[in-house]
Amino acid sequence: MKKLAFETKLVHADRKINKPQHGAVHESTNNSVLFEFEDVQDLVDVFQGKKMGHVYSRSSSSSAVSLQNVLNELENGVGAIVFATGMAAISATFLSLLQSGDHIIVSQYLFGNTRSFMANIERFGINVSYVDVTDVNEVIAVCKPNTKMVFCETIANPVTQVTDLQGIGDFCDSKNIIFALDNTMTPSVLLDAKAVNASLLLTSLTKYIGGHGNVLGGVLIDTGLFDWSRFSNIDDIYRVADLSQWGLTQVKKRGLRDMGATLAPQSAHMVSIGLETLTMRLRKTCVNAQALAKYLQTHKGVNAVYYPGLQDHPQHERAQALFKRGFGGILSLELSEGIDSHAFLNALSLVISATHLGDTRTLALPAASTIFYENGAAERAKMGIADSLIRISLGIEEIDDILADFDQAFKQVLSV
Ligand SMILES: *Cc1c(COP(=O)(O)O)cnc(C)c1O
């Protein structure tokens, strides 16, 4: 499999890695919760991890394993675990690997629900520092002897700050700290996460990977770069033979089996179908985002545009070095003074007002009053989110139709 190009793997990896029965080209959707064994010794061996197999579908099913194998292959990892949602992948990973008394460093620009999840783990005695991850020195400044993990996203949502991924990855590597990276905004088509020393990848499958707004899912992938023998939180029973699997084994038992946010077989199948066209969709999305950003940049109805593909973006050069095939599908804008953002959004007719991103359709929403409402004004200010900020998630429509929709909406709001 290693010799095939990424695009080729997207459509052939399932069949090549998993060898579905009866010559099926896809792994079939198997809804059985329980699994039968001819010899009870085999049941015992699978329970004890001595043999591969499924015993109960909360822990594993052929549909989930098939998707895990493909996602892992695309990132060149050492293993993956899929979950019911992106938040399930994040929460299960944190709750499995961290414990009371640990310190972690996270981005001050986190996705809203991830940010509120951090407040939950703080209640259980994990100490969290929030820093500006566009500068590794901010991370270095708050690092302590009990710092176990640094967690951030590749491109922040909605103001598109680009994380100092190389700096943070190299720092974590030198200190044996887990570098957990949410790469939902830039799945492997756009970013080679191993090149920046990411230890763990957390990705919402609901966004670009599934891609069609019809299925939820999340995944944890271990890149194989972190040395688990230097991580004191691994329980003795999960220090299994293969060192590369220690972290995943603990997350699989504590985070999936014990917490139970399992990805359903039907959902795994739907994510797999979406995944086949990931590159094509994401390329078009990036091209559309770049074109819309350029259009907005010079428009008299716009005060500011945030997109890493624009030359005046503060981290444009870094983005160029990191993201070889496009700058992602998210941009945001502030309208000129006097234009009501709700009136503008209502005036758009093709673009949908909805909370979601990474869809085939172009979506827009007012960020401060919706997904970042709970954060409060002070935190929003720290994240660079103005009250009038509109977030756009580009889809795969013909760009002329998107631009025409913006044009007619601007005409409506500027003429009143
Ligand atoms: C959406 C999102 C998540 C959460 O994923 P769900 O599948 O909706 O639970 C996590 N991180 C980022 C960056 C996201 O955009």
Coordinates of all heavy atoms in Angstrom, one line a residue, residues 107 109 131-136 152-168 179 181-182 185-186 190-191 196 306-310 312-324 326-328 330 383:
S107 N -4.5 25.4 23.1 CA -4.6 26.6 22.3 C -5.7 27.5 22.9 O -6.8 27.0 23.3 CB -5.0 26.3 20.9 OG -5.5 27.4 20.2
Y109 N -7.4 29.3 21.1 CA -8.3 29.4 19.9 C -9.1 28.2 19.6 O -9.5 27.9 18.5 CB -7.5 29.8 18.6 CG -6.6 31.0 18.8 CD1 -5.2 30.8 18.6 CD2 -7.1 32.2 19.0 CE1 -4.3 31.9 18.7 CE2 -6.3 33.3 19.1 CZ -4.9 33.2 19.0 OH -4.0 34.3 19.1
V131 N -2.9 29.1 25.7 CA -1.9 30.0 25.2 C -2.2 30.3 23.7 O -2.9 29.6 23.0 CB -0.5 29.5 25.4 CG1 -0.1 29.2 26.8 CG2 -0.2 28.3 24.5
D132 N -1.5 31.4 23.2 CA -1.5 31.7 21.8 C -0.5 30.8 21.1 O 0.7 31.0 21.1 CB -1.1 33.2 21.6 CG -1.1 33.6 20.2 OD1 -1.3 32.7 19.3 OD2 -0.8 34.8 19.9
V133 N -1.1 29.8 20.4 CA -0.2 28.7 19.8 C 0.4 29.2 18.5 O 1.0 28.4 17.8 CB -1.0 27.4 19.6 CG1 -1.2 26.7 21.0 CG2 -2.3 27.6 18.9
T134 N 0.2 30.4 18.1 CA 0.9 30.9 16.8 C 2.4 31.1 17.2 O 3.1 31.3 16.2 CB 0.3 32.2 16.3 OG1 0.4 33.2 17.2 CG2 -1.2 32.0 15.9
D135 N 2.7 31.1 18.5 CA 4.1 31.3 18.8 C 4.5 30.2 19.9 O 4.0 30.2 21.0 CB 4.2 32.7 19.5 CG 5.6 33.0 19.9 OD1 6.5 32.2 19.7 OD2 5.8 34.2 20.4
V136 N 5.5 29.4 19.5 CA 5.9 28.3 20.4 C 6.5 28.8 21.7 O 6.4 28.1 22.7 CB 7.0 27.4 19.7 CG1 8.3 28.2 19.4 CG2 7.3 26.2 20.5
C152 N -3.6 21.4 20.2 CA -4.1 22.6 19.5 C -4.7 22.1 18.1 O -4.7 20.9 17.9 CB -2.9 23.5 19.2 SG -1.5 22.7 18.4
E153 N -5.1 23.1 17.4 CA -5.7 22.8 16.1 C -4.7 23.3 15.0 O -3.9 24.2 15.3 CB -7.1 23.4 15.9 CG -8.1 22.7 16.8 CD -9.3 23.6 17.2 OE1 -9.5 24.6 16.5 OE2 -10.0 23.2 18.1
T154 N -4.9 22.9 13.8 CA -3.9 23.3 12.7 C -4.2 24.8 12.3 O -3.3 25.6 12.4 CB -4.0 22.4 11.5 OG1 -5.3 22.3 11.0 CG2 -3.5 21.0 11.9
I155 N -5.5 25.0 11.9 CA -5.9 26.4 11.6 C -7.1 26.7 12.5 O -8.0 25.9 12.6 CB -6.4 26.5 10.2 CG1 -5.3 26.2 9.2 CG2 -6.9 27.9 9.9 CD1 -5.6 26.2 7.7
A156 N -7.1 27.8 13.3 CA -8.1 28.1 14.2 C -9.4 28.5 13.5 O -9.4 29.1 12.4 CB -7.7 29.2 15.2
N157 N -10.5 28.1 14.1 CA -11.8 28.5 13.6 C -12.4 29.5 14.6 O -12.4 29.2 15.8 CB -12.6 27.1 13.6 CG -14.1 27.3 13.6 OD1 -14.6 28.3 13.2 ND2 -14.8 26.2 14.0
P158 N -12.9 30.6 14.2 CA -13.2 31.1 12.8 C -12.1 32.1 12.3 O -12.2 32.4 11.1 CB -14.5 31.8 13.0 CG -14.4 32.4 14.4 CD -13.6 31.4 15.2
V159 N -11.2 32.5 13.1 CA -10.3 33.7 12.6 C -9.1 33.2 11.9 O -8.2 34.0 11.5 CB -10.0 34.7 13.8 CG1 -9.4 35.9 13.3 CG2 -11.3 35.1 14.5
T160 N -8.9 31.9 11.7 CA -7.9 31.2 10.9 C -6.4 31.5 11.3 O -5.5 31.5 10.4 CB -8.1 31.6 9.4 OG1 -7.7 32.9 9.1 CG2 -9.5 31.3 8.9
Q161 N -6.2 31.7 12.6 CA -4.8 31.8 13.0 C -4.1 30.4 12.7 O -4.7 29.4 13.0 CB -4.7 32.0 14.5 CG -5.3 33.4 15.0 CD -6.7 33.4 15.4 OE1 -7.4 32.4 15.0 NE2 -7.2 34.4 16.1
V162 N -2.9 30.5 12.2 CA -2.2 29.2 11.8 C -1.2 28.9 12.9 O -0.3 29.7 13.3 CB -1.5 29.4 10.5 CG1 -0.8 28.1 10.1 CG2 -2.5 29.7 9.4
T163 N -1.3 27.7 13.5 CA -0.5 27.3 14.6 C 1.0 27.1 14.2 O 1.2 26.7 13.1 CB -1.0 26.0 15.2 OG1 -2.4 26.2 15.6 CG2 -0.3 25.5 16.4
D164 N 1.9 27.4 15.2 CA 3.3 27.2 14.9 C 3.6 25.6 15.1 O 4.1 25.2 16.1 CB 4.1 28.0 16.0 CG 5.6 27.9 15.7 OD1 6.0 27.1 14.7 OD2 6.4 28.5 16.4
L165 N 3.1 24.9 14.1 CA 3.1 23.4 14.3 C 4.5 22.8 14.4 O 4.8 22.0 15.2 CB 2.3 22.8 13.1 CG 0.8 23.1 13.0 CD1 0.2 22.5 11.8 CD2 0.1 22.6 14.2
Q166 N 5.4 23.4 13.5 CA 6.7 22.8 13.5 C 7.4 23.1 14.9 O 8.1 22.3 15.5 CB 7.5 23.4 12.3 CG 8.8 22.6 12.1 CD 8.5 21.2 11.5 OE1 7.9 21.1 10.4 NE2 8.9 20.2 12.1
G167 N 7.3 24.4 15.3 CA 7.9 24.8 16.5 C 7.4 24.0 17.7 O 8.2 23.5 18.5
I168 N 6.1 23.8 17.8 CA 5.5 23.1 18.9 C 5.8 21.6 18.8 O 6.2 21.0 19.8 CB 4.0 23.3 19.0 CG1 3.7 24.8 19.3 CG2 3.3 22.4 20.0 CD1 2.2 25.2 19.3
F179 N 2.2 15.5 21.7 CA 1.7 16.6 20.9 C 0.4 16.1 20.2 O 0.5 15.4 19.2 CB 2.8 17.1 19.9 CG 2.3 18.2 18.9 CD1 1.3 19.1 19.3 CD2 2.9 18.3 17.7 CE1 0.9 20.1 18.5 CE2 2.5 19.4 16.8 CZ 1.5 20.2 17.2
L181 N -2.9 16.8 18.1 CA -3.2 17.8 17.1 C -4.6 17.5 16.5 O -4.8 16.4 16.0 CB -2.2 17.8 16.0 CG -2.3 18.8 14.9 CD1 -2.3 20.2 15.4 CD2 -1.2 18.6 13.8
D182 N -5.5 18.4 16.6 CA -6.8 18.3 16.0 C -6.6 18.9 14.5 O -6.4 20.1 14.3 CB -7.8 19.1 16.7 CG -9.2 19.1 16.1 OD1 -9.3 18.8 14.9 OD2 -10.2 19.3 16.9
M185 N -9.4 20.7 10.4 CA -9.5 21.7 9.3 C -8.6 21.4 8.1 O -8.8 21.9 7.0 CB -8.9 23.0 9.9 CG -9.8 23.7 10.9 SD -11.3 24.2 10.2 CE -12.3 24.4 11.6
T186 N -7.6 20.6 8.4 CA -6.6 20.2 7.3 C -6.3 18.8 7.3 O -5.2 18.4 7.8 CB -5.3 21.0 7.4 OG1 -4.8 20.8 8.8 CG2 -5.5 22.5 7.3
L190 N -4.0 17.9 3.0 CA -3.4 19.2 3.1 C -2.1 19.3 4.0 O -1.2 20.1 3.7 CB -4.4 20.2 3.6 CG -5.7 20.5 2.8 CD1 -6.5 21.6 3.4 CD2 -5.3 20.8 1.3
L191 N -2.1 18.5 5.0 CA -1.0 18.6 6.0 C -0.4 17.2 6.2 O -1.1 16.3 6.6 CB -1.5 19.1 7.3 CG -0.5 19.1 8.5 CD1 0.5 20.3 8.3 CD2 -1.2 19.3 9.8
V196 N 5.5 17.4 11.1 CA 5.6 18.4 12.2 C 5.6 17.7 13.6 O 5.4 18.4 14.6 CB 4.5 19.4 12.2 CG1 4.6 20.3 10.9 CG2 3.1 18.8 12.3
Y306 N -10.3 37.2 6.8 CA -9.3 36.3 7.4 C -9.2 35.0 6.7 O -10.2 34.2 6.7 CB -9.6 36.0 8.9 CG -9.8 37.3 9.7 CD1 -11.1 37.8 9.9 CD2 -8.7 38.0 10.2 CE1 -11.3 39.0 10.7 CE2 -8.9 39.1 11.0 CZ -10.1 39.6 11.2 OH -10.3 40.8 11.9
Y307 N -8.1 34.8 5.9 CA -7.9 33.6 5.2 C -6.4 33.4 5.0 O -5.7 34.3 4.5 CB -8.6 33.6 3.8 CG -8.5 32.3 3.1 CD1 -9.1 31.1 3.7 CD2 -7.8 32.1 1.9 CE1 -9.0 29.9 3.0 CE2 -7.7 30.9 1.3 CZ -8.3 29.8 1.9 OH -8.2 28.6 1.2
P308 N -5.9 32.2 5.4 CA -4.4 32.0 5.4 C -3.8 32.1 4.0 O -2.6 32.2 3.8 CB -4.2 30.6 6.0 CG -5.5 30.3 6.7 CD -6.6 31.1 6.0
G309 N -4.7 32.0 3.0 CA -4.2 32.1 1.6 C -4.0 33.5 1.1 O -3.4 33.7 0.0
L310 N -4.4 34.5 1.9 CA -4.2 35.9 1.5 C -2.8 36.3 2.0 O -2.3 36.0 3.1 CB -5.2 36.8 2.1 CG -6.7 36.5 1.6 CD1 -7.6 37.5 2.4 CD2 -6.8 36.8 0.1
D312 N -1.7 39.1 3.0 CA -1.6 39.9 4.2 C -2.0 39.2 5.5 O -2.1 39.8 6.6 CB -2.4 41.2 4.0 CG -3.9 41.0 3.9 OD1 -4.3 39.8 3.9 OD2 -4.6 42.0 3.7
H313 N -2.3 37.9 5.4 CA -2.6 37.1 6.6 C -1.3 37.0 7.5 O -0.3 36.7 6.9 CB -3.1 35.7 6.2 CG -3.6 34.9 7.4 ND1 -2.7 34.3 8.2 CD2 -4.8 34.6 7.8 CE1 -3.4 33.6 9.2 NE2 -4.7 33.8 8.9
P314 N -1.4 37.2 8.8 CA -0.2 37.2 9.6 C 0.6 36.0 9.5 O 1.8 36.0 9.7 CB -0.7 37.4 11.0 CG -2.2 37.8 10.9 CD -2.7 37.5 9.5
Q315 N 0.0 34.8 9.3 CA 0.8 33.6 9.2 C 0.8 33.0 7.8 O 0.9 31.8 7.6 CB 0.3 32.5 10.2 CG 0.5 32.9 11.6 CD -0.7 33.5 12.2 OE1 -1.8 33.2 11.9 NE2 -0.5 34.4 13.2
H316 N 0.7 33.9 6.7 CA 0.7 33.4 5.4 C 1.9 32.5 5.0 O 1.7 31.5 4.4 CB 0.5 34.5 4.4 CG 0.5 34.1 3.0 ND1 -0.5 33.3 2.4 CD2 1.4 34.4 1.9 CE1 -0.2 33.1 1.1 NE2 0.9 33.7 0.8
E317 N 3.1 33.0 5.3 CA 4.3 32.3 5.0 C 4.3 30.9 5.6 O 4.7 29.9 5.0 CB 5.5 33.1 5.4 CG 6.1 33.8 4.2 CD 7.3 34.6 4.6 OE1 8.2 34.1 5.2 OE2 7.3 35.8 4.3
R318 N 4.0 30.9 6.9 CA 3.9 29.6 7.6 C 2.9 28.6 6.9 O 3.2 27.5 6.7 CB 3.5 29.8 9.1 CG 3.3 28.5 9.8 CD 2.9 28.8 11.2 NE 3.9 29.5 12.0 CZ 3.7 30.2 13.1 NH1 2.5 30.3 13.6 NH2 4.7 30.8 13.7
A319 N 1.8 29.2 6.6 CA 0.7 28.4 6.0 C 1.2 27.8 4.6 O 0.9 26.7 4.3 CB -0.5 29.2 5.7
Q320 N 2.0 28.6 3.9 CA 2.5 28.1 2.6 C 3.5 27.0 2.8 O 3.5 26.0 2.1 CB 3.3 29.3 1.9 CG 2.4 30.1 1.0 CD 3.2 31.2 0.3 OE1 4.1 31.8 0.9 NE2 3.0 31.3 -1.0
A321 N 4.3 27.0 3.9 CA 5.2 26.0 4.2 C 4.5 24.7 4.6 O 4.9 23.6 4.3 CB 6.2 26.4 5.2
L322 N 3.4 24.9 5.4 CA 2.7 23.7 6.0 C 1.8 23.0 5.0 O 1.7 21.8 5.0 CB 2.0 24.1 7.2 CG 2.8 24.5 8.5 CD1 1.9 25.1 9.5 CD2 3.5 23.3 9.1
F323 N 1.0 23.8 4.4 CA -0.2 23.3 3.6 C 0.1 23.4 2.1 O 0.0 24.5 1.5 CB -1.5 24.1 3.9 CG -1.7 24.2 5.4 CD1 -1.8 25.5 6.0 CD2 -1.7 23.1 6.3 CE1 -2.0 25.6 7.4 CE2 -1.9 23.3 7.6 CZ -2.0 24.5 8.2
K324 N 0.5 22.3 1.6 CA 1.1 22.3 0.2 C 0.0 22.4 -0.9 O 0.3 22.8 -2.0 CB 1.8 21.0 -0.1 CG 2.9 20.7 0.9 CD 4.2 21.6 0.7 CE 5.3 21.2 1.7 NZ 6.2 22.3 1.9
G326 N -3.3 23.8 -0.6 CA -4.5 24.7 -0.4 C -4.5 25.1 1.1 O -3.9 24.4 1.9
F327 N -5.2 26.2 1.3 CA -5.2 26.8 2.7 C -6.5 26.6 3.5 O -6.8 27.3 4.4 CB -5.0 28.3 2.5 CG -3.6 28.6 1.9 CD1 -3.6 28.9 0.5 CD2 -2.5 28.6 2.6 CE1 -2.3 29.2 -0.1 CE2 -1.2 28.9 2.0 CZ -1.2 29.2 0.7
G328 N -7.2 25.5 3.1 CA -8.4 25.2 3.8 C -9.7 25.8 3.3 O -9.6 26.7 2.4
I330 N -12.1 27.3 5.2 CA -12.8 28.3 6.2 C -12.2 29.7 6.0 O -11.0 29.9 6.0 CB -12.6 27.9 7.6 CG1 -13.1 26.5 7.9 CG2 -13.1 28.9 8.6 CD1 -14.6 26.4 7.8
M383 N -9.8 35.7 21.3 CA -9.7 34.8 20.1 C -9.8 35.6 18.8 O -9.7 35.1 17.8 CB -10.9 33.8 20.2 CG -10.8 32.8 21.3 SD -12.4 31.9 21.5 CE -11.9 30.3 20.9

